[in-house]
Amino acid sequence: MSEKTPLLHYRLSEASCSEEPAGVLPVPPSRDRGQSAAGPRRGPASTSQPKKLNTFFGVVVPTLLSMFSVVVFLRIGFMVGQCGLYQAIAMYVVAYFIISMTVLSVCAISTNGALDAGGAYYMISRALGPEFGGSIGLMFFLGNVCASALFVLGLVEAIESTFGMPEDIVSNIFVLPSGYWWSLLYGTAVALLCLLVCLVGANIYASATFVIFLVVILSLGTVFVSFFSVRPHNVTLPGSAFLPGNTSSPMARFTGFKLDTLLGNLGDGYGVDYTTGRMMNFATVFAVVFNGCTGIMTGSNISGDLKNPSYSIPRGTITAVIFTFIIYNLLMVMAACTCDRVLLQRDYNYLSEINVWHPFVTVGVYCSTLSAAMSSLIGASRILYALAKDHLFGRVLSPAKRTSCGGNPWVAVLLSWFLVQLVLFAGKVNTIAGISTIFFLLVYAAVDLACLALEWASAPNFRPTFRYFTWHTCLLGIMGCAIMMFLINAIYASASIAFMLLLLLLIHYLSPTSSWGYISQALIFHQVRKYLLMLDVRKDHVKFWRPQVLLMVSNPRTAVGLISFINDIKKSGLYVLGHVQLGELNTLPSDPLQSQYDSWLSLVDHLNIKAFVNLTLATSVRHGVQHLLFISGLGGMRPNTLVLGFYDNNPPEDKLLGLVLSSSGPRDPEDQQQQKPFHFPSLRGDAATGKSMDPQEYVAVIADAIKMLKNVALARYFHDFQRTRALSPAEKGAGVYVDVWPVNLLRPDSSSYVDTCSLFLLQLACILNMVRAWRRARLRLFLCVEEGRSLRGTKEKLGQLLKELRIKATEEPEVEEEEEEYVNSFPSNGALILDQPCLSPAVRFLYLPRPPADTRRYTTYLRQLDLLTLNLGPTLLIHGVTPVLTTDL
């Protein structure tokens, strides 16, 4: 190395390990579903358009205005008057506790990487995957739409309270006409104003919200001053608050700071809401209270318009939450000390009546509600734009991706405004409050769940710079949101959850695969590792034995039937597809197996089997099988049974191609070549040439497996096996059979059906019969009895054994039952004659003798097996070496 070459040294500590070293670009999450996940992603290019808003203008101001909105001026008195000061403060403590847990989760996720447009939707989708992200994102969009309509109606209510007059009262003073349709007209006009501002873009929106922020702060300042400076006086209640049957305008009292007034407002006094005519209770009031807290996501909703979202969102959101909590509690205490309950319950615009100058509060109400409506509208449009960009709902939302030259998603803004206009038909603030609150609570719970999942997954890349959270805060946030959802309205909560699950399933089956990464995979890995460590092989017991199969596959094109059949026989055990590729890594430029895994995994998905894939590179098939038997599996989950295809000279047939074509329908030949789902080598032309091993090595593989205490099965004539056809008898009304020969047919006079190998055959046959598709198949047990031995004694002995093994069997020569016994007599030391039953079975289980100790006899041994199974149809030759059956409880 040259002496002039500079050396860069970074010292990492626990406190700074999550910081990016100078000159290193952060790795943002994928901005496009089609982006390749191979390799690290680069950060935004230096030529990209810079973000427009800083922490104060982009997060603090919009969040403050959204949290104040209609509640700070029009609903503080309503809450204190209905539920009293004690319950009002308790409600705010609970509400802010819930949102504080969610704020901590938002801060953690937002500081763990670069954020794009979409705010909470972007956080949830990139953490929990497209299913949760898309379903919650759509509901968050609808929640913001409802919130925007809520604030628009709140502004209309304030306008009518100031300038309107009930329809049944005649006045010579020029006022705005009142009524449902007039309110809808005013709401439409306000919504159009919000639309115009949002169509211009985030820059004008930030400027407008800052001006509004100054006006609202000035109005709040005059409110606090008025509590101290205004003298006690009577307040005339609005006409809409007239009591039924009372023709005169009732009066209420502003008392100033008095102990009697405070004591009278401490307890609850639930009554009828004069705007809706409904009786209030804790749940309905809390729904209104919580709407003053739902603005915490305003800053994160426009994360795509912020200069530095990871910096601005946590600081700006926490600042806004603390400030609003203080203001709300101060206002409630002062209202409880200075206003009697009648004034608080029947005049929502009481702050204007007691203000030093009435228009201050009126202007503050107009500005705060207008700002909150704009914030919710622009937030909804950004969420819709992010959903459209991710293609989660196909072409339905594709128009919402269109943007102006300045990057403003104007189509998403128009669609959001249209839905706001539809919600305005509800007509009353408190009517929409419950629905909007449920949606926001569900979104907050999802954000907490996303953070909890990331924390529990213990992923090394989850290193948020915001550290003031734990899994306990996430769990408390989820529980709090869930409880409050059902407390506010159990019907709305249940319907919202059902709607979310419906969307989740829809996206799961219809949306394309994403490259965002799935938190479920990290959680599964975490749990599987924990339980694998707990799976102690020293505690294995024969009672809980199950087959764990390693199936060696030379070429999947010829083994489709066998792969599917072994999937049936595994009985919830481990199933591994093994393959040996001949070669030496030191003579190759790279590992040739890495590019093959995708094809093998696609095969597993296509055949709908539950199997792992394990490939190895070796100089010979024998060595490769040894490698796989040694290393396949993990901990207590290791193969105990090796399955091999039979060594014969039958011409190979490509069954995979026909299966793919039948499932995908007719295609042009060019399309077939371009859209091959698998990339397996073509079949050899002659079965006798081009084999990867000779008969001697094949039998040696069997002997090696038995030495390693692995059960062995040789599968023959499964190249054309189809379960549907095998389980459909050729003759109508005929049964389907599985034949079991638990004796060594090469030496029938020396075999016993109670040795380890024979019992292993019985166990596998019973396991196959337990599979749902094979339950209608009948097991037939065949025995060989030497001449001169008593058949009755053999049958009784066998019946007792089957009874102890809980295998039902009856001998009914004239009637076919679930399982029947066929006994064939052979002369001792005579020629073997295998009598075929009248009905051909779907599959046969035969006893596989142990290979001879003399390796020179391997070829003869294989020839005997070939003669034994010739033209028998699908057959498994099985040799068991481990006890698998027990009569113990």
Side-chain angles (χ1 to χ4, degrees):
M1 179 180 295
S2 173
E3 295 181 358
K4 296 183 180 181
T5 302
L7 295 177
L8 298 181
H9 176 70
Y10 296 100
R11 177 176 298 172
L12 298 180
S13 64
E14 182 179 356
S16 63
C17 65
S18 59
E19 299 292 338
E20 303 286 349
V24 178
L25 292 176
V27 183
S30 173
R31 299 170 67 101
D32 189 354
R33 293 178 61 85
Q35 183 175 345
S36 173
R41 301 177 179 88
R42 297 294 181 185
S46 59
T47 58
S48 62
Q49 183 178 1
K51 304 301 181 182
K52 301 177 182 178
L53 306 177
N54 58 19
T55 302
F56 183 75
F57 289 100
V59 181
V60 176
V61 172
T63 305
L64 279 174
L65 293 176
S66 294
M67 296 184 73
F68 280 152
S69 65
V70 70
V71 176
V72 70
F73 292 112
L74 298 181
R75 289 297 182 266
I76 290 293
F78 161 79
M79 289 180 289
V80 177
Q82 293 288 345
C83 59
L85 181 62
Y86 287 154
Q87 289 191 22
I89 293 178
M91 284 182 182
Y92 265 102
V93 170
V94 172
Y96 269 79
F97 175 78
I98 294 174
I99 66 167
S100 296
M101 299 301 101
T102 304
V103 166
L104 296 180
S105 300
V106 170
C107 294
I109 298 176
S110 63
T111 59
N112 190 54
L115 283 180
D116 205 342
Y121 156 71
Y122 191 86
M123 300 177 195
I124 296 170
S125 61
R126 269 51 178 183
L128 299 182
E131 293 88 357
F132 264 102
S135 56
I136 293 294
L138 184 60
M139 299 190 73
F140 194 30
F141 163 72
L142 295 176
N144 276 276
V145 166
C146 291
S148 181
L150 171 70
F151 299 135
V152 168
L153 290 175
L155 177 55
V156 170
E157 182 181 302
I159 293 173
E160 289 184 330
S161 177
T162 306
F163 301 104
M165 180 68 71
E167 297 174 344
D168 57 347
I169 294 180
V170 179
S171 174
N172 294 326
I173 304 175
F174 178 77
V175 294
L176 292 176
S178 300
Y180 171 78
W181 293 107
W182 286 108
S183 298
L184 181 61
L185 176 62
Y186 304 150
T188 302
V190 174
L192 281 173
L193 177 61
C194 297
L195 172 66
L196 293 176
V197 174
C198 294
L199 282 176
V200 175
N203 196 14
I204 188 65
Y205 163 77
S207 302
T209 53
F210 178 65
V211 173
I212 292 174
F213 172 74
L214 295 178
V215 174
V216 170
I217 293 299
L218 178 62
S219 300
L220 282 176
T222 63
V223 167
F224 283 107
V225 171
S226 299
F227 279 120
F228 294 94
S229 60
V230 175
R231 295 180 178 181
H233 63 278
N234 293 330
V235 177
T236 302
L237 298 179
S240 57
F242 286 178
L243 296 176
N246 190 356
T247 59
S248 62
S249 177
M251 304 294 291
R253 181 75 177 169
F254 173 72
T255 65
F257 287 94
K258 283 191 177 182
L259 181 59
D260 292 340
T261 304
L262 174 62
L263 295 176
N265 288 325
L266 291 179
D268 64 89
Y270 293 106
V272 176
D273 176 16
Y274 72 88
T275 63
T276 62
R278 297 178 181 177
M279 185 67 185
M280 294 291 101
N281 53 43
F282 180 88
T284 55
V285 175
F286 183 81
V288 178
V289 170
F290 202 84
N291 270 281
C293 311
T294 53
I296 60 171
M297 294 290 189
T298 305
S300 60
N301 286 347
I302 57 173
S303 55
D305 298 304
L306 300 176
K307 288 182 180 179
N308 189 348
S310 297
Y311 177 87
S312 300
I313 290 175
R315 288 164 176 79
T317 305
I318 292 176
T319 301
V321 168
I322 294 175
F323 184 78
T324 55
F325 181 75
I326 295 173
I327 296 298
Y328 277 137
N329 281 275
L330 287 177
L331 284 175
M332 287 190 297
V333 171
M334 292 185 176
C337 292
T338 58
C339 303
D340 64 17
R341 189 176 293 272
V342 175
L343 176 61
L344 297 177
Q345 284 187 340
R346 297 177 186 169
D347 188 358
Y348 295 164
N349 199 28
Y350 77 102
L351 288 178
S352 177
E353 301 296 334
I354 66 173
N355 199 271
V356 291
W357 190 52
H358 295 181
F360 269 135
V361 173
T362 302
V363 173
V365 169
Y366 296 168
C367 290
S368 62
T369 50
L370 179 63
S371 172
M374 286 191 300
S375 297
S376 297
L377 180 60
I378 197 171
S381 66
R382 295 316 190 259
I383 297 169
L384 184 63
Y385 171 67
L387 285 168
K389 264 205 323 181
D390 288 337
H391 306 282
L392 293 183
F393 295 92
R395 297 181 179 179
V396 177
L397 298 181
S398 58
K401 292 188 297 182
R402 298 181 181 179
T403 60
S404 64
C405 298
N408 187 33
W410 61 273
V411 176
V413 173
L414 287 175
L415 292 174
S416 302
W417 166 81
F418 176 74
L419 292 179
V420 170
Q421 185 63 46
L422 292 181
V423 177
L424 290 178
F425 283 94
K428 293 295 180 180
V429 171
N430 291 352
T431 304
I432 306 174
I435 301 174
S436 177
T437 302
I438 293 294
F439 280 159
F440 280 114
L441 281 169
L442 191 60
V443 172
Y444 295 167
V447 173
D448 290 321
L449 179 62
C451 189
L452 178 67
L454 290 169
E455 180 69 9
W456 275 356
S458 301
N461 282 323
F462 183 60
R463 300 190 300 272
T465 56
F466 182 86
R467 300 179 182 275
Y468 301 101
F469 78 101
T470 66
W471 66 268
H472 304 86
T473 60
C474 302
L475 195 59
L476 286 174
I478 295 172
M479 294 172 58
C481 292
I483 292 173
M484 286 304 165
M485 280 174 59
F486 286 92
L487 183 63
I488 292 171
N489 194 310
I491 296 177
Y492 285 171
S494 302
S496 299
I497 294 175
F499 181 54
M500 180 197 71
L501 294 177
L502 180 64
L503 289 173
L504 190 148
L505 293 174
L506 183 68
I507 297 173
H508 176 75
Y509 288 107
L510 298 182
S511 69
T513 303
S514 73
S515 59
W516 305 337
Y518 291 83
I519 189 62
S520 58
Q521 296 298 304
L523 291 172
I524 291 171
F525 177 88
H526 185 73
Q527 292 301 109
V528 167
R529 181 192 65 85
K530 181 173 70 174
Y531 287 117
L532 275 175
L533 292 173
M534 296 171 61
L535 192 61
D536 193 345
V537 295
R538 296 169 296 184
K539 298 179 181 179
D540 284 346
H541 195 278
V542 64
K543 289 189 299 184
F544 309 111
W545 181 91
R546 65 181 70 238
Q548 304 196 83
V549 182
L550 170 62
L551 172 62
M552 297 304 304
V553 180
S554 175
N555 193 327
R557 296 186 180 278
T558 63
V560 173
L562 180 59
I563 292 173
S564 300
F565 177 77
I566 299 301
N567 185 65
D568 287 342
I569 211 171
K570 70 181 188 303
K571 186 53 180 175
S572 303
L574 178 67
Y575 185 18
V576 180
L577 298 180
H579 173 73
V580 179
Q581 179 165 329
L582 300 180
E584 292 188 62
L585 190 59
N586 58 358
T587 63
L588 299 172
S590 62
D591 183 4
L593 301 178
Q594 297 302 318
S595 60
Q596 300 181 22
Y597 272 100
D598 284 345
S599 292
W600 283 86
L601 295 175
S602 298
L603 175 71
V604 170
D605 295 337
H606 189 78
L607 297 180
N608 194 26
I609 62 175
K610 298 177 181 179
F612 298 95
V613 174
N614 210 341
L615 312 179
T616 189
L617 187 69
T619 56
S620 68
V621 174
R622 182 181 182 183
H623 289 159
V625 175
Q626 290 177 359
H627 294 168
L628 293 178
L629 287 174
F630 277 126
I631 67 173
S632 292
L634 197 64
M637 294 186 65
R638 293 185 179 277
N640 55 30
T641 304
L642 173 66
V643 180
L644 302 171
F646 197 80
Y647 193 95
D648 57 27
N649 293 324
N650 292 331
E653 298 180 24
D654 192 340
K655 299 295 181 180
L656 184 59
L657 179 61
L659 186 66
V660 172
L661 293 179
S662 62
S663 63
S664 60
R667 288 182 182 175
D668 295 334
E670 296 182 0
D671 294 339
Q672 295 176 14
Q673 295 296 326
Q674 295 176 359
Q675 301 182 13
K676 286 183 178 180
F678 314 112
H679 301 280
F680 298 117
S682 57
L683 300 178
R684 59 182 185 270
D686 185 3
T689 61
K691 288 189 174 182
S692 54
M693 60 178 172
D694 56 23
Q696 189 81 6
E697 185 181 5
Y698 178 80
V699 180
V701 170
I702 300 173
D704 291 343
I706 294 176
K707 291 178 184 178
M708 300 169 67
L709 298 181
K710 306 294 183 183
N711 309 298
V712 179
L714 307 182
R716 190 173 192 184
Y717 296 120
F718 280 91
H719 60 276
D720 201 28
F721 178 82
Q722 293 183 11
R723 185 174 66 182
T724 305
R725 185 176 61 188
L727 295 178
S728 302
E731 300 181 9
K732 186 176 181 180
V736 178
Y737 298 99
V738 175
D739 288 357
V740 183
W741 294 78
V743 291
N744 186 351
L745 295 177
L746 296 184
R747 298 186 60 190
D749 58 335
S750 63
S751 296
S752 169
Y753 55 83
V754 293
D755 65 0
T756 300
C757 186
S758 300
L759 294 179
F760 187 79
L761 262 72
L762 287 174
Q763 179 75 311
L764 287 188
C766 290
I767 289 174
L768 182 63
N769 197 224
M770 294 168 67
V771 178
R772 177 176 299 178
W774 290 85
R775 285 178 184 172
R776 297 180 60 187
R778 302 175 181 178
L779 302 183
R780 297 193 297 191
L781 185 61
F782 290 81
L783 296 179
C784 296
V785 182
E786 296 182 21
E787 264 187 288
R789 294 188 60 179
S790 171
L791 295 180
R792 181 178 299 275
T794 302
K795 292 178 182 178
E796 291 177 353
K797 186 177 179 182
L798 176 62
Q800 181 62 29
L801 174 65
L802 295 178
K803 182 179 179 181
E804 291 177 356
L805 297 177
R806 287 92 61 202
I807 301 176
K808 294 182 180 180
T810 58
E811 184 185 1
E812 298 285 349
E814 301 296 333
V815 181
E816 294 179 348
E817 294 292 341
E818 287 286 333
E819 299 170 1
E820 297 183 2
E821 307 156 24
Y822 288 78
V823 181
N824 296 278
S825 298
F826 299 109
S828 180
N829 299 324
L832 177 62
I833 302 175
L834 185 61
D835 293 338
Q836 292 290 337
C838 58
L839 295 175
S840 179
V843 65
R844 289 178 174 86
F845 288 68
L846 270 60
Y847 188 113
L848 174 66
R850 179 186 287 268
D854 187 358
T855 58
R856 293 172 296 181
R857 298 176 55 195
Y858 278 1
T859 304
T860 304
Y861 168 80
L862 186 59
R863 186 163 54 249
Q864 289 176 330
L865 298 181
D866 178 61
L867 292 174
L868 179 65
T869 58
L870 187 63
N871 297 326
L872 284 186
T875 302
L876 277 182
L877 286 160
I878 301 171
H879 185 87
V881 298
T882 56
V884 296
L885 285 170
T886 180
T887 58
D888 296 336
L889 181 63

